[in-house]
Amino acid sequence: NIESQSRASVRAGDGLYLHWMGNGHVANGQSDGTCVRVMFTNFEADPKFSDFTQIPGAECIDYWHYDSGGIPKTDTYVSIPVDVPPGKYTILWYWDFTDFWYSSCADIDIKSPLGPTKSPKSQAPNSTPIPSKNKPTSPAPSPSPKPTLDQDDVIKYLKNGCNKLKN
């Protein structure tokens, strides 16, 4: 049975903090306007995509945003619906980036809500509030010009990845 051994735990009705690596796709025009989607399902060793349910409010989360200090961030909170029964679940994070889909799963424990539910936290630990759009809340650095690729660069990339491209 394949199961995550250090699982996050969240109460139904509370916010779950999610963070993903930018991997060179942040604040350079490559991922502007793209969305991360977050879904969940009851835990199974190998769930099918069709088993997953969209988490309300997590249908289209900006891939990246600026924090209030002008620093690009790749994180968010999602609110676990209050009516989700306690148990083990699998979270699916996926990103539709041009012709490529990136995804990751993690197992989590959802616990019963305690008393009246609260809205999801609006801050990542030790950081500033997360804006809802990719618009800086304070002046941000000017973006670098987009690099241009010729046909040779595309062939090198397809064969060798980014490390063989000219700077």
Side-chain angles (χ1 to χ4, degrees):
N1 204 7
I2 300 171
E3 182 177 336
S4 299
Q5 288 307 311
S6 291
R7 291 188 301 272
S9 179
V10 64
R11 294 201 178 275
D14 283 353
L16 176 66
Y17 177 70
L18 302 175
H19 176 293
W20 52 93
M21 297 300 297
N23 292 334
H25 299 288
V26 175
N28 59 16
Q30 293 180 349
S31 60
D32 292 357
T34 62
C35 294
V36 166
R37 290 164 175 83
V38 183
M39 304 170 82
F40 72 130
T41 188
N42 291 312
F43 174 81
E44 287 184 40
D46 190 17
K48 294 180 243 141
F49 183 79
S50 60
D51 295 336
F52 286 88
T53 301
Q54 186 68 56
I55 294 177
E59 297 89 355
C60 184
I61 300 164
D62 291 329
Y63 178 76
W64 71 276
H65 60 90
Y66 287 109
D67 69 9
S68 64
I71 306 294
K73 305 291 272 180
T74 52
D75 61 2
T76 194
Y77 274 91
V78 295
S79 182
I80 302 300
V82 70
D83 59 348
V84 173
K88 282 192 279 189
Y89 291 82
T90 300
I91 292 278
L92 168 63
W93 168 98
Y94 71 98
W95 177 42
D96 179 5
F97 178 60
T98 63
D99 293 331
F100 302 98
W101 288 77
Y102 295 92
S103 65
S104 186
C105 289
D107 301 326
I108 65 169
D109 291 320
I110 297 179
K111 297 181 178 184
S112 297
L114 280 178
T117 61
K118 51 187 173 178
S119 61
K121 293 181 182 180
S122 62
Q123 295 190 45
N126 300 317
S127 83
T128 52
I130 299 171
S132 62
K133 296 290 175 196
N134 283 346
K135 296 181 180 135
T137 55
S138 64
S142 298
S144 302
K146 284 187 181 180
T148 58
L149 299 175
D150 59 24
Q151 187 62 28
D152 289 337
D153 287 332
V154 171
I155 291 169
K156 286 179 191 173
Y157 171 75
L158 291 173
K159 288 183 179 177
N160 305 306
C162 294
N163 59 351
K164 298 291 184 188
L165 294 176
K166 59 186 171 194
N167 292 331

